[in-house]
Amino acid sequence: MSEEFVPQQGAAAGRPKGLLEQMEELMATLNADLSALAELQAGTPARGTTDERD
């Protein structure tokens, strides 16, 4: 049995996610993480955070 046919939690309508769908989600997460890292390195606050230094 392949991992592709193992049901994943949160799969749409109970259908297991395909490998391509999983890879697309991982790439989206990676891109978001890399964007946040770039913002931190540039010294700009990441989205959703506030800088409350007084």
Side-chain angles (χ1 to χ4, degrees), residues 1-8 16-17 19 22:
M1 182 178 227
S2 170
E3 286 183 27
E4 292 178 276
F5 298 108
V6 175
Q8 301 291 321
K17 292 182 182 179
L19 183 59
Q22 292 176 23

Side-chain angles (χ1 to χ4, degrees), residues 7-49:
Q8 301 291 321
Q9 288 183 334
R15 182 179 59 85
K17 292 182 182 179
L19 183 59
L20 180 60
E21 196 173 349
Q22 292 176 23
M23 291 300 295
E24 288 172 344
E25 289 178 4
L26 288 171
M27 289 300 295
T29 302
L30 178 60
N31 284 335
D33 289 346
L34 289 174
S35 294
L37 178 61
E39 289 174 0
L40 286 173
Q41 288 179 335
T44 58
R47 285 175 273 175
T49 61

